[in-house]
Amino acid sequence: MDRCIVLVDAGYLLGAAASLLAGEPSRSRITVDHTALVQGLREQAESDTERPLLRIYWFDGAPDRVPQPEHRRLRVMPRVTVRLGALTRSDGRWAQKGVDAAMHAELTELARNRACSDVVLVTGDGDLLPGLMAAKEHGVAVHLWAVQAADGDYNQSEDLVAEADERRVLDRTWITKAVRAKELGGICAPPPAPRPEIAAILSAPLPESTLTQAAEGPAEQRQHPAAAAGAGGAEERVPAVKGVPTPKDLAALRAPGTPPAQHPSTATLRWSSDRGWVDRPGLPAEPPEAASMPTLAQLTTAEQRWADREEDITTVGGDPYEVGQVFARRWVDRLGDQGHLQKLSSMYPRIPHRVDGELLRYAARFGLLAHKDDQIDEHDRYAIRAGFWREIDVRTSTERAPVAD
């Protein structure tokens, strides 16, 4: 048939783009506007082949073949089909498994069934050479596209280049229409809002130093270091945090016997969860109402669950802070008894464990486990909870004072 198909090896395309724009092949160094990228591939393919596009096949790797946020966005785009291989770790490095075999199988099957007259291959792997040759034998014209190499040399198999019918190099100008290097400040989506909560807690003093002061200092100075410095007239320098404080560490910043409402001035981020807050002397146990706090699953109907899935796939980008906000928005909107909202707000800085666990399980859907040994990164967990509490703060402050900023 007189139409074209594009087969994209995402590992090659985005890895080569990262090398070109950021100096290394790590995809974490770039941001990608997938809508613009798909549109660019379609327009270029139709121009080069002079044929209408049938479909773009996007081949990529994913841990346990679980779709990541970018795959969720891509697979609902018109004329795009996502095929996932495995992503495995060996000797500390991640590698795709099964992607080349899937591309080879798709290429030969399309050619054998005469599904198209032209195939565009965006890849550099010589393992596709037999598939390319088979496609040519079935009367398909093969167009091979490369991403401009950072060093100006080839980043494709020479045998693959020699066997292709037509060749094109996607240069820096073409690539930067949809891809930007993060360190250059060029991103394809609006930057996230400043997060003073995270900055504040990351600048908090080391809990160990605070505990030492509480144990050795006089009773009247057993308080937050900033307050102690103000009372004594001399400021003692406290080492900066070497790691992100845990909920237990934050609990240690408050001396035993201090009312729950009084918190260190730097501990503005409400972490989680009940665990770590109940096993220190002088700290209150989990409030009884926390055990009865409804979960989002309990508040969600089957119709809402379907709508949530659609929103997750088409709208939610997967940024940890945004994920926390979305979860909190749904939870608050579906509360029948708004008294639960006030109770939750009064539990500062804790999230009831059952709600917190559900929040993290929801976040895991967006690929935040990827490349992190099946655990959400510590900073991502704090960003998720920061987004959750930010949304709760907005709702409670709106109810108390619905005035302008």
Side-chain angles (χ1 to χ4, degrees), residues 204-217 221-226 228 236-239 241 248-256 264 266:
L206 281 173
E208 291 78 7
S209 62
T210 305
L211 288 175
T212 301
Q213 288 181 347
E216 297 178 355
Q221 292 184 1
R222 293 176 188 172
Q223 52 185 337
H224 187 265
E236 180 179 350
R237 292 188 61 84
V238 181
V241 171
K248 282 188 177 182
D249 297 334
L250 295 180
L253 289 175
R254 188 177 72 235
T266 54

Side-chain angles (χ1 to χ4, degrees), residues 173-251:
T173 301
W174 192 96
I175 292 295
T176 51
K177 292 178 181 177
V179 183
R180 299 288 188 273
K182 287 183 178 178
E183 63 270 23
L184 298 179
I187 58 177
C188 303
R195 300 176 188 172
E197 305 98 329
I198 293 179
I201 202 61
L202 292 178
S203 64
L206 281 173
E208 291 78 7
S209 62
T210 305
L211 288 175
T212 301
Q213 288 181 347
E216 297 178 355
E220 61 272 13
Q221 292 184 1
R222 293 176 188 172
Q223 52 185 337
H224 187 265
E235 181 178 357
E236 180 179 350
R237 292 188 61 84
V238 181
V241 171
K242 298 179 181 178
V244 180
T246 66
K248 282 188 177 182
D249 297 334
L250 295 180

